[in-house]
Amino acid sequence: MKSISLAPLLLASFPSSNRSAPVGTRAFSHHLNRKSFQKQLHFHSHSHSVVFSSQSRSATLSVMPEEEEKNQLFDGEKAALLVKDLRRTFDTGKTKSYDWRISQLKGIAKMLEEKEKDIIEALYKDLSKPGFEAFISEVSQARSSCNEALKELNNWMKPEKVKTSITTYPSSAEIVSEPLGVVLVISTWNFPFLLSIDPVIGAISAGNTVVLKPSEIAPATSSLLAKLLKDYLDNSAVRVVEGAVPETTALLEQKWDKILYTGSARVGRVVMAAAAKHLTPVILELGGKCPAVVDSDVNLEVTARRIIAGKWACNNGQACISVDYIITKKEFAPTLINALKDELEQFFGRDLMKSKDMSRIVSPSHFARLVKLLDEDQVSDKIVFGGQRDENQLRISPTILLDVPEDSTVMQEEIFGPILPIITNQGSSAEERLCAEHIFGGMLINDTIIHVATPGLPFGGVEESGMGSYHGKFSFDGFSHKKSVLYRGFAVDSDLRYPPYTPEKEKLFKTLTSGNILRIILTLIGLFKE
């Protein structure tokens, strides 16, 4: 019996972008539709006079005196001073030491141990994320990253020995990992704790000073991160800036040594454009369309369970690695749909809208976007399961669509929610081409999403889905400069490299660089003649 074939036989966590190849009669499109941060409805900032709460659909407004508001605004001037302070700290050299890095990692480990309850509560406030899901997907993953860094940092910091060539004989060489300097991490709202602290772990491990800008769309987690990092880490080297567009803009105007941004491709372009002004390198972790390819000859129960785990039990589909749509054979689709229905009821109960084991939609704007996808003329009659919605509670039930048109918005944009289209075709050749012809940031065979829990695998996308990667050693490398070092002594100094350039020298050099060992030896002892 064949095993499940999921997500390009795998879950392609970061699809390749706009390059398309046939999938039945359909082609991939990787246009993203997460709202630009310039149009978000909610923001939370200690430095602003207006605070919008994500816990209700109405904003609460507090007004402070104009002069006090002006003093608290985080503008370009304050951002420049912040960067200057962190660069001054970096220039002292203290963040480069193994002891400092370890002390900060231990601070994070202690924070995760002592403040686990507070973290889970903040995630519930922002996303109604179930406690166990919050622990597994955020707290536990952060703890794993921190523990690996504590365990492996000494090895990561060791210079990497490199072979030298005969042209530099006698010599030795190595690659030294050194910190880049002052780095900026701009996080996102769907896993607001993990996707904030994981890059910070990498930046600290590499010996940098770092500014974290959490997402204003998850205000409770943002506020908690600001408090915890102040309490547990070295504030002269690690800082948190809360806020929304003005604060982010002020930060992006500065000269950084690296920027890591997690979010949409639209905002990724803004970040990259700002970085280009200073020739600042970037790591961009963006979104994409993540297909799951399901063969008919599978363990149906396990297949359905794993798809659900990679969709509705993964922040209710609000994840870049979530199953975005399914490709399967036409005759198998009804069987698969029934299996998904049965397992959904087993997981979340008969009334899916009242389940406490499923996150809510993050904000009214995202809720409205998802409803618009469902209510599109060519989509609304394709709903075969679910479709219920409650605007007051920001909840949409798990919804399955069957054979929506290729040009529908739901198939042209990243869904990022509890809607799951199933696309059917007549044969398996499309699935085979899918794996052979597409580049993916991540592939998973016979399961969904859990490949990101493997520390030795890089987490990152290609083309429209981003550039660069992190997780474990890849985080350390992403925030490090690889410096080439060649060591030579004075014992031997051939005149071969120096003028005058004689025919004899040319002949000897060509022989030495030919790669023919016997010829080199004969030449050196004077026995080789052309």
Side-chain angles (χ1 to χ4, degrees):
M1 176 180 290
K2 291 185 180 178
S3 57
I4 331 167
S5 297
L6 288 184
L9 274 270
L10 39 148
L11 220 215
S13 61
F14 290 91
S16 60
S17 81
N18 293 327
R19 187 189 309 168
S20 61
V23 179
T25 59
R26 296 169 171 82
F28 277 119
S29 295
H30 306 299
H31 307 294
L32 307 185
N33 191 37
R34 289 185 230 167
K35 297 291 185 183
S36 166
F37 62 69
Q38 295 175 336
K39 295 182 180 179
Q40 297 293 357
L41 297 183
H42 304 291
F43 70 86
H44 175 92
S45 172
H46 292 311
S47 61
H48 269 72
S49 61
V50 184
V51 178
F52 290 93
S53 169
S54 70
Q55 302 312 305
S56 67
R57 296 181 59 244
S58 60
T60 58
L61 176 67
S62 61
V63 181
M64 58 178 64
E66 183 177 339
E67 192 62 34
E68 184 179 352
E69 176 186 354
K70 181 178 179 182
N71 291 336
Q72 291 198 16
L73 286 174
F74 184 86
D75 55 14
E77 182 179 351
K78 289 190 176 181
L81 288 173
L82 172 60
V83 174
K84 184 177 180 180
D85 287 346
L86 292 175
R87 197 166 298 283
R88 187 182 298 115
T89 297
F90 180 76
D91 289 342
T92 67
K94 76 171 183 177
T95 66
K96 297 181 180 181
S97 73
Y98 173 81
D99 289 342
W100 182 86
R101 302 184 203 193
I102 285 292
S103 70
Q104 300 307 296
L105 292 172
K106 287 182 177 178
I108 293 175
K110 184 179 181 182
M111 175 188 76
L112 292 169
E113 185 69 28
E114 295 179 350
K115 300 300 181 179
E116 176 186 312
K117 181 180 178 181
D118 294 344
I119 296 166
I120 291 174
E121 286 179 354
L123 293 169
Y124 184 79
K125 289 178 182 178
D126 287 331
L127 290 154
S128 292
K129 190 170 286 193
F132 187 49
E133 181 184 334
F135 176 78
I136 292 175
S137 64
E138 303 220 34
V139 178
S140 178
Q141 288 295 306
R143 187 173 292 165
S144 177
S145 293
C146 188
N147 289 341
E148 184 190 14
L150 283 166
K151 179 181 178 182
E152 299 294 339
L153 182 60
N154 188 51
N155 291 327
W156 293 348
M157 290 178 66
K158 287 180 180 177
E160 178 187 348
K161 296 299 181 183
V162 177
K163 291 182 179 179
T164 58
S165 69
I166 194 168
T167 57
T168 61
Y169 178 84
S171 65
S172 62
E174 62 186 16
I175 299 172
V176 177
S177 295
E178 60 180 11
L180 291 168
V182 184
V183 302
L184 172 64
V185 173
I186 304 175
S187 186
T188 189
W189 55 262
N190 58 333
F191 292 88
F193 186 81
L194 175 65
L195 296 183
S196 294
I197 205 66
D198 199 354
V200 169
I201 289 170
I204 289 173
S205 298
N208 300 281
T209 58
V210 56
V211 171
L212 169 65
K213 166 58 182 69
S215 173
E216 69 278 12
I217 309 302
T221 305
S222 176
S223 179
L224 182 64
L225 281 164
K227 179 181 184 301
L228 294 184
L229 268 60
K230 182 179 180 180
D231 291 345
Y232 283 87
L233 297 180
D234 180 354
N235 297 156
S236 71
V238 182
R239 300 281 290 276
V240 176
V241 174
E242 292 192 81
V245 178
E247 291 78 8
T248 306
T249 301
L251 289 170
L252 287 174
E253 289 172 351
Q254 311 310 311
K255 169 70 174 86
W256 303 91
D257 296 302
K258 193 142 195 180
I259 298 174
L260 184 149
Y261 167 73
T262 304
S264 72
R266 183 183 298 112
V267 180
R269 288 180 172 87
V270 175
V271 173
M272 194 169 183
K277 294 178 182 178
H278 302 286
L279 294 180
T280 299
V282 296
I283 297 175
L284 301 179
E285 302 297 345
L286 311 177
K289 301 285 283 183
C290 300
V293 181
V294 183
D295 199 344
S296 58
D297 188 10
V298 296
N299 182 320
L300 188 57
E301 180 182 351
V302 175
T303 300
R305 292 166 64 87
R306 291 180 178 178
I307 289 173
I308 293 169
K311 182 65 173 182
W312 297 287
C314 181
N315 201 28
N316 205 3
Q318 299 173 108
C320 61
I321 57 170
S322 170
V323 179
D324 195 85
Y325 63 101
I326 292 173
I327 302 170
T328 193
K329 294 178 181 178
K330 194 171 190 67
E331 63 273 15
F332 183 65
T335 304
L336 177 60
I337 291 169
N338 288 332
L340 289 170
K341 292 178 181 178
D342 291 343
E343 295 302 325
L344 279 167
E345 185 175 317
Q346 290 295 319
F347 284 10
F348 302 114
R350 296 183 67 86
D351 190 344
L352 300 178
M353 292 288 284
K354 293 183 179 179
S355 174
K356 297 180 179 179
D357 292 322
M358 199 182 311
S359 302
R360 64 165 170 80
I361 308 304
V362 67
S363 70
S365 62
H366 285 271
F367 180 90
R369 178 185 62 82
L370 291 166
V371 168
K372 186 177 180 180
L373 294 180
L374 288 176
D375 289 346
E376 190 173 5
D377 288 342
Q378 53 187 345
V379 172
S380 59
D381 62 345
K382 302 293 184 179
I383 298 175
V384 295
F385 180 76
Q388 296 81 17
R389 70 285 303 260
D390 184 336
E391 186 176 3
N392 291 325
Q393 298 297 319
L394 294 179
R395 291 190 176 273
I396 297 175
S397 68
T399 301
I400 301 174
L401 310 175
L402 182 61
D403 281 333
V404 294
E406 175 190 344
D407 61 352
S408 61
T409 308
V410 77
M411 289 306 296
Q412 293 296 314
E413 298 179 352
E414 183 182 20
I415 295 171
F416 227 72
I419 304 167
L420 182 62
I422 295 179
I423 306 302
T424 66
N425 56 45
Q426 299 298 329
S428 62
S429 59
E431 288 93 321
E432 294 168 1
R433 290 199 306 273
L434 183 64
C435 291
E437 298 176 7
H438 279 267
I439 300 172
F440 302 98
M443 297 170 57
L444 179 57
I445 298 173
N446 295 336
D447 211 327
T448 64
I449 72 171
I450 61 170
H451 58 306
V452 298
T454 305
L457 292 177
F459 178 69
V462 293
E463 299 181 12
E464 282 287 304
S465 291
M467 61 187 67
S469 61
Y470 66 101
H471 276 190
K473 176 79 162 44
F474 297 97
S475 296
F476 176 87
D477 291 339
F479 286 107
S480 297
H481 166 62
K482 301 300 182 180
K483 181 166 61 179
S484 303
V485 182
L486 180 73
Y487 300 93
R488 293 203 72 201
F490 291 98
V492 177
D493 190 46
S494 170
D495 65 355
L496 186 62
R497 63 188 289 197
Y498 305 120
Y501 301 124
T502 65
E504 290 75 20
K505 287 183 179 180
E506 181 180 353
K507 173 186 174 183
L508 180 57
F509 180 79
K510 288 182 177 180
T511 301
L512 292 176
T513 58
S514 67
N516 188 321
I517 302 299
L518 179 59
R519 183 177 175 182
I520 292 172
I521 294 173
L522 292 176
T523 299
L524 291 175
I525 63 178
L527 296 179
F528 179 79
K529 298 185 183 299
E530 288 186 325

